[in-house]
Amino acid sequence: MTHNILLVGRSCNEGLEGLFIEAFKALGNKILCLGYQELLPIKNNLLKLLTRQSLVRNTYIRELIISTSSALKKYNEHILTLADKYDIDIIFIIKGEAVSIETIKLLATEFANSALIYLNPDDPRYVRTLSYIYMLHEFTIYTPCKKCMHFMRKFSNKVYHLPFAVSHQKLLYPRTPDKRGKFILLIGSLYPNRLRIIKKILKKFGKKVPVAVAGPFWNYVFLRKKYQGIYGKKYANITNLALITLNIHHTNDIGFKANMRLYEIPGMGGFEITDNYDIVKEYYD
Protein backbone atom coordinates (compact mmCIF):
# COMPACT_ATOMS: atom_id res chain seq x y z
CA MET A 1 0.00 0.00 0.00
CA THR A 2 1.42 3.37 -1.04
CA HIS A 3 0.85 6.72 0.65
CA ASN A 4 0.92 10.40 -0.20
CA ILE A 5 3.48 11.85 2.21
CA LEU A 6 4.20 15.50 2.94
CA LEU A 7 7.68 15.82 4.44
CA VAL A 8 8.33 19.12 6.24
CA GLY A 9 11.89 20.02 7.21
CA ARG A 10 14.87 22.31 6.78
CA SER A 11 15.92 21.26 3.26
CA CYS A 12 14.69 18.84 0.61
CA ASN A 13 18.08 18.44 -1.05
CA GLU A 14 20.39 17.14 1.66
CA GLY A 15 20.88 15.57 5.08
CA LEU A 16 18.31 13.50 6.93
CA GLU A 17 15.40 14.82 4.87
CA GLY A 18 17.08 13.60 1.68
CA LEU A 19 17.61 10.12 3.13
CA PHE A 20 13.97 9.86 4.23
CA ILE A 21 12.79 10.96 0.78
CA GLU A 22 14.87 8.21 -0.84
CA ALA A 23 13.60 5.60 1.63
CA PHE A 24 9.94 6.56 1.23
CA LYS A 25 10.24 6.56 -2.57
CA ALA A 26 11.90 3.15 -2.52
CA LEU A 27 8.77 1.83 -0.77
CA GLY A 28 6.62 3.19 -3.59
CA ASN A 29 5.22 6.25 -1.80
CA LYS A 30 4.56 9.62 -3.40
CA ILE A 31 6.51 12.41 -1.70
CA LEU A 32 6.00 16.14 -1.46
CA CYS A 33 8.75 17.97 0.42
CA LEU A 34 8.82 21.49 1.81
CA GLY A 35 12.08 22.92 3.17
CA TYR A 36 12.35 26.41 4.65
CA GLN A 37 16.05 26.82 3.82
CA GLU A 38 15.16 27.10 0.12
CA LEU A 39 12.68 29.91 0.91
CA LEU A 40 14.87 32.05 3.18
CA PRO A 41 16.46 35.01 1.34
CA ILE A 42 19.73 34.51 3.26
CA LYS A 43 22.91 33.59 1.39
CA ASN A 44 25.50 34.01 4.16
CA ASN A 45 26.17 30.69 5.96
CA LEU A 46 26.80 32.36 9.32
CA LEU A 47 23.47 34.21 9.16
CA LYS A 48 21.75 30.93 8.24
CA LEU A 49 23.27 29.29 11.33
CA LEU A 50 22.23 32.18 13.60
CA THR A 51 18.67 32.03 12.23
CA ARG A 52 18.47 28.27 12.73
CA GLN A 53 19.88 28.46 16.26
CA SER A 54 17.45 31.24 17.18
CA LEU A 55 14.54 29.10 15.95
CA VAL A 56 15.46 26.09 18.08
CA ARG A 57 16.67 27.60 21.36
CA ASN A 58 13.72 29.63 22.62
CA THR A 59 10.01 29.16 21.92
CA TYR A 60 9.13 32.87 22.21
CA ILE A 61 12.00 34.02 19.96
CA ARG A 62 11.07 31.27 17.52
CA GLU A 63 7.47 32.45 17.24
CA LEU A 64 8.64 36.08 16.88
CA ILE A 65 11.01 35.20 14.00
CA ILE A 66 8.31 33.19 12.22
CA SER A 67 5.70 35.94 12.61
CA THR A 68 8.03 38.68 11.28
CA SER A 69 9.59 36.71 8.39
CA SER A 70 7.59 36.79 5.15
CA ALA A 71 9.48 33.69 3.94
CA LEU A 72 8.63 31.66 7.05
CA LYS A 73 5.00 32.83 7.02
CA LYS A 74 4.83 31.64 3.42
CA TYR A 75 6.42 28.35 4.46
CA ASN A 76 3.71 27.77 7.08
CA GLU A 77 0.96 28.66 4.61
CA HIS A 78 2.43 26.19 2.09
CA ILE A 79 2.31 23.37 4.65
CA LEU A 80 -1.45 23.76 5.10
CA THR A 81 -2.10 24.35 1.39
CA LEU A 82 -0.19 21.27 0.25
CA ALA A 83 -1.73 19.07 2.94
CA ASP A 84 -5.19 20.09 1.77
CA LYS A 85 -4.63 20.12 -2.00
CA TYR A 86 -2.93 16.74 -2.44
CA ASP A 87 -5.01 14.54 -0.13
CA ILE A 88 -2.01 13.79 2.10
CA ASP A 89 -2.05 10.54 4.11
CA ILE A 90 1.03 11.24 6.25
CA ILE A 91 2.41 14.60 7.39
CA PHE A 92 5.96 13.95 8.58
CA ILE A 93 7.76 16.84 10.28
CA ILE A 94 11.52 16.61 10.92
CA LYS A 95 12.67 18.87 13.76
CA GLY A 96 10.02 21.47 12.88
CA GLU A 97 11.83 24.54 14.11
CA ALA A 98 10.18 26.81 11.51
CA VAL A 99 6.64 25.46 11.96
CA SER A 100 4.54 27.85 14.05
CA ILE A 101 2.43 26.73 17.00
CA GLU A 102 -0.65 27.96 15.11
CA THR A 103 0.21 25.70 12.16
CA ILE A 104 0.72 22.74 14.51
CA LYS A 105 -2.72 23.33 16.04
CA LEU A 106 -4.36 23.60 12.61
CA LEU A 107 -2.71 20.37 11.45
CA ALA A 108 -3.96 18.63 14.60
CA THR A 109 -7.56 19.84 14.18
CA GLU A 110 -8.10 20.10 10.41
CA PHE A 111 -6.18 17.05 9.24
CA ALA A 112 -7.38 14.47 11.73
CA ASN A 113 -7.62 11.86 8.95
CA SER A 114 -3.91 12.20 8.16
CA ALA A 115 -1.22 10.50 10.25
CA LEU A 116 0.75 13.26 12.00
CA ILE A 117 4.35 12.23 12.73
CA TYR A 118 7.15 14.19 14.35
CA LEU A 119 10.88 13.40 14.62
CA ASN A 120 13.49 15.57 16.29
CA PRO A 121 16.89 14.09 15.30
CA ASP A 122 18.64 16.39 17.81
CA ASP A 123 16.95 15.05 20.96
CA PRO A 124 17.91 15.48 23.83
CA ARG A 125 18.79 18.98 22.60
CA TYR A 126 15.68 21.12 22.23
CA VAL A 127 13.30 18.60 23.84
CA ARG A 128 11.78 21.41 25.93
CA THR A 129 11.71 24.02 23.15
CA LEU A 130 10.66 21.87 20.16
CA SER A 131 9.57 18.29 20.86
CA TYR A 132 7.46 19.41 23.84
CA ILE A 133 5.24 21.51 21.56
CA TYR A 134 4.34 18.52 19.40
CA MET A 135 3.68 16.30 22.42
CA LEU A 136 0.73 18.50 23.35
CA HIS A 137 -1.10 17.74 20.10
CA GLU A 138 -2.24 14.79 17.98
CA PHE A 139 1.23 13.76 16.83
CA THR A 140 3.01 10.44 17.00
CA ILE A 141 6.51 11.24 18.28
CA TYR A 142 9.68 9.42 17.26
CA THR A 143 12.99 10.11 18.98
CA PRO A 144 16.52 8.70 18.60
CA CYS A 145 17.02 9.35 22.33
CA LYS A 146 15.77 6.37 24.35
CA LYS A 147 16.39 8.13 27.67
CA CYS A 148 14.21 11.07 26.56
CA MET A 149 11.13 8.88 26.34
CA HIS A 150 10.51 8.94 30.10
CA PHE A 151 10.11 12.74 30.02
CA MET A 152 8.07 12.71 26.79
CA ARG A 153 5.61 10.09 28.02
CA LYS A 154 4.53 12.43 30.80
CA PHE A 155 2.71 14.37 28.09
CA SER A 156 1.98 11.84 25.34
CA ASN A 157 1.50 8.08 25.15
CA LYS A 158 2.41 8.05 21.45
CA VAL A 159 6.20 8.20 21.84
CA TYR A 160 8.51 5.67 20.19
CA HIS A 161 12.26 5.10 20.02
CA LEU A 162 13.68 5.31 16.49
CA PRO A 163 17.50 5.01 16.37
CA PHE A 164 19.29 6.11 13.23
CA ALA A 165 20.09 3.55 10.56
CA VAL A 166 21.55 3.65 7.07
CA SER A 167 21.46 1.51 3.96
CA HIS A 168 24.99 0.46 3.09
CA GLN A 169 23.85 -0.13 -0.51
CA LYS A 170 23.24 3.60 -0.77
CA LEU A 171 26.45 4.68 0.95
CA LEU A 172 29.16 2.22 -0.03
CA TYR A 173 30.97 3.26 -3.19
CA PRO A 174 33.79 1.33 -4.93
CA ARG A 175 37.29 2.19 -3.74
CA THR A 176 40.75 1.24 -4.94
CA PRO A 177 42.63 0.12 -1.76
CA ASP A 178 45.91 1.80 -2.71
CA LYS A 179 44.16 5.18 -2.89
CA ARG A 180 43.47 5.40 0.84
CA GLY A 181 45.05 8.63 2.03
CA LYS A 182 47.30 9.44 4.94
CA PHE A 183 45.11 12.03 6.60
CA ILE A 184 42.76 12.10 9.60
CA LEU A 185 39.23 13.29 8.83
CA LEU A 186 36.73 14.77 11.31
CA ILE A 187 33.12 15.03 10.14
CA GLY A 188 30.63 17.40 11.74
CA SER A 189 29.88 21.06 12.43
CA LEU A 190 32.37 23.15 14.36
CA TYR A 191 31.75 22.67 18.10
CA PRO A 192 34.19 23.43 20.97
CA ASN A 193 34.78 19.76 21.89
CA ARG A 194 35.62 18.91 18.27
CA LEU A 195 37.96 21.86 17.97
CA ARG A 196 39.78 20.72 21.14
CA ILE A 197 40.33 17.27 19.61
CA ILE A 198 41.71 18.80 16.40
CA LYS A 199 44.10 21.02 18.38
CA LYS A 200 45.40 18.02 20.35
CA ILE A 201 46.03 16.04 17.16
CA LEU A 202 47.87 18.94 15.57
CA LYS A 203 49.96 19.43 18.70
CA LYS A 204 50.85 15.73 18.84
CA PHE A 205 51.59 15.06 15.17
CA GLY A 206 52.16 18.49 13.65
CA LYS A 207 52.54 18.19 9.87
CA LYS A 208 53.35 14.47 9.96
CA VAL A 209 49.67 13.52 9.76
CA PRO A 210 47.48 16.02 7.87
CA VAL A 211 44.06 16.77 9.36
CA ALA A 212 40.94 17.49 7.32
CA VAL A 213 37.47 18.54 8.47
CA ALA A 214 34.12 18.20 6.72
CA GLY A 215 31.17 20.22 7.95
CA PRO A 216 29.78 23.73 8.40
CA PHE A 217 31.66 26.70 9.87
CA TRP A 218 35.18 25.29 9.90
CA ASN A 219 36.15 28.04 7.45
CA TYR A 220 36.85 30.19 10.52
CA VAL A 221 39.61 27.78 11.64
CA PHE A 222 43.02 27.61 9.97
CA LEU A 223 43.30 24.15 8.44
CA ARG A 224 44.63 23.14 5.05
CA LYS A 225 41.79 20.77 4.07
CA LYS A 226 38.19 21.85 4.63
CA TYR A 227 35.04 20.55 2.97
CA GLN A 228 31.76 22.44 3.29
CA GLY A 229 28.35 20.85 2.91
CA ILE A 230 29.32 17.43 1.55
CA TYR A 231 26.65 14.82 0.91
CA GLY A 232 26.10 11.64 -1.07
CA LYS A 233 28.93 10.33 -3.22
CA LYS A 234 31.35 13.15 -2.35
CA TYR A 235 30.82 12.44 1.36
CA ALA A 236 31.46 8.73 0.79
CA ASN A 237 34.56 9.30 -1.35
CA ILE A 238 36.24 11.58 1.21
CA THR A 239 35.47 9.09 4.00
CA ASN A 240 36.88 6.26 1.87
CA LEU A 241 40.10 8.17 1.28
CA ALA A 242 40.77 9.04 4.94
CA LEU A 243 43.12 6.89 7.00
CA ILE A 244 40.92 7.47 10.07
CA THR A 245 37.55 9.22 10.35
CA LEU A 246 36.74 10.77 13.72
CA ASN A 247 33.13 10.93 14.88
CA ILE A 248 32.97 13.19 17.93
CA HIS A 249 29.44 13.54 19.32
CA HIS A 250 27.94 16.82 20.45
CA THR A 251 28.44 17.09 24.23
CA ASN A 252 24.67 16.96 24.82
CA ASP A 253 24.44 13.63 22.97
CA ILE A 254 26.94 11.88 25.25
CA GLY A 255 25.14 9.23 27.27
CA PHE A 256 21.85 9.84 25.43
CA LYS A 257 22.00 8.90 21.76
CA ALA A 258 24.21 8.01 18.81
CA ASN A 259 24.38 10.34 15.82
CA MET A 260 23.91 9.40 12.15
CA ARG A 261 27.65 9.34 11.45
CA LEU A 262 28.09 6.38 13.78
CA TYR A 263 26.44 4.27 11.07
CA GLU A 264 27.32 6.27 7.96
CA ILE A 265 31.11 6.08 8.31
CA PRO A 266 31.44 2.26 8.42
CA GLY A 267 28.62 2.08 5.84
CA MET A 268 30.86 4.07 3.49
CA GLY A 269 33.89 1.90 4.15
CA GLY A 270 35.62 4.30 6.53
CA PHE A 271 37.66 3.40 9.61
CA GLU A 272 35.80 5.14 12.44
CA ILE A 273 37.02 6.22 15.86
CA THR A 274 34.27 7.58 18.08
CA ASP A 275 33.31 8.44 21.66
CA ASN A 276 29.98 8.03 23.52
CA TYR A 277 30.86 4.42 24.42
CA ASP A 278 27.86 3.68 26.66
CA ILE A 279 25.48 4.38 23.78
CA VAL A 280 27.63 2.93 20.99
CA LYS A 281 27.83 -0.47 22.72
CA GLU A 282 24.02 -0.80 22.47
CA TYR A 283 24.34 -1.08 18.69
CA TYR A 284 27.83 -2.53 18.10
CA ASP A 285 29.49 -5.61 19.61
Side-chain angles (χ1 to χ4, degrees):
M1 182 178 180
T2 61
H3 299 282
N4 293 332
I5 301 174
L6 173 60
L7 190 149
V8 178
R10 179 177 63 88
S11 173
C12 297
N13 303 317
E14 58 192 40
L16 187 60
E17 288 89 343
L19 293 174
F20 267 109
I21 289 169
E22 283 188 15
F24 285 141
K25 283 183 176 178
L27 293 171
N29 298 294
K30 295 178 181 178
I31 309 295
L32 283 173
C33 181
L34 190 60
Y36 73 85
Q37 184 169 275
E38 287 83 6
L39 296 175
L40 281 176
I42 300 173
K43 302 300 180 187
N44 183 282
N45 282 331
L46 183 58
L47 287 177
K48 282 183 182 179
L49 172 69
L50 292 174
T51 301
R52 198 161 74 240
Q53 290 300 310
S54 298
L55 286 169
V56 299
R57 289 184 181 278
N58 185 287
T59 303
Y60 299 106
I61 292 174
R62 170 176 171 267
E63 290 297 311
L64 179 63
I65 292 172
I66 294 172
S67 65
T68 55
S69 166
S70 58
L72 293 181
K73 280 199 260 187
K74 190 183 203 178
Y75 172 75
N76 280 269
E77 290 167 5
H78 282 353
I79 294 170
L80 299 169
T81 302
L82 291 173
D84 184 50
K85 184 177 179 180
Y86 291 99
D87 193 23
I88 296 297
D89 302 308
I90 299 171
I91 300 170
F92 182 31
I93 299 178
I94 296 179
K95 201 167 180 178
E97 67 267 37
V99 183
S100 71
I101 291 176
E102 182 61 27
T103 299
I104 295 166
K105 288 178 179 177
L106 287 171
L107 288 173
T109 55
E110 296 187 14
F111 297 92
N113 293 328
S114 300
L116 303 174
I117 298 174
Y118 175 74
L119 167 68
N120 181 4
D122 286 339
D123 285 337
R125 284 174 280 161
Y126 320 129
V127 167
R128 294 177 184 274
T129 55
L130 285 178
S131 303
Y132 176 74
I133 297 168
Y134 291 86
M135 283 184 269
L136 298 177
H137 299 91
E138 298 303 314
F139 280 80
T140 299
I141 312 294
Y142 287 94
T143 176
C145 174
K146 191 186 291 185
K147 291 182 179 179
C148 298
M149 293 172 67
H150 176 71
F151 168 76
M152 293 177 169
R153 282 181 173 161
K154 292 179 180 179
F155 307 96
S156 172
N157 59 0
K158 297 189 293 183
V159 179
Y160 302 93
H161 180 225
L162 182 69
F164 290 118
V166 297
S167 169
H168 71 278
Q169 288 93 344
K170 292 283 183 186
L171 294 175
L172 189 56
Y173 294 90
R175 181 188 75 243
T176 305
D178 60 2
K179 287 191 176 179
R180 189 177 282 279
K182 305 258 183 199
F183 65 93
I184 295 172
L185 173 67
L186 186 146
I187 297 176
S189 301
L190 172 60
Y191 287 124
N193 60 325
R194 292 171 182 162
L195 182 58
R196 284 194 295 270
I197 293 289
I198 291 295
K199 285 181 175 178
K200 286 180 181 179
I201 292 170
L202 291 172
K203 186 176 180 181
K204 176 75 174 175
F205 297 106
K207 295 182 179 179
K208 293 179 184 177
V209 182
V211 176
V213 291
F217 316 114
W218 286 97
N219 48 314
Y220 303 104
V221 177
F222 180 74
L223 284 170
R224 194 171 64 179
K225 289 187 179 181
K226 289 175 278 197
Y227 305 94
Q228 296 289 326
I230 57 168
Y231 301 95
K233 192 168 183 178
K234 186 176 180 182
Y235 180 15
N237 286 341
I238 292 170
T239 304
N240 280 331
L241 287 171
L243 182 67
I244 295 169
T245 302
L246 299 176
N247 175 24
I248 308 301
H249 285 74
H250 189 284
T251 50
N252 289 344
D253 289 343
I254 300 295
F256 282 94
K257 81 159 195 296
N259 59 24
M260 281 177 63
R261 286 181 292 278
L262 181 72
Y263 312 99
E264 288 176 327
I265 294 166
M268 293 184 289
F271 175 58
E272 178 178 4
I273 293 179
T274 189
D275 52 6
N276 206 4
Y277 174 74
D278 287 341
I279 300 298
V280 171
K281 70 182 181 182
E282 291 184 26
Y283 305 103
Y284 286 92
D285 292 331

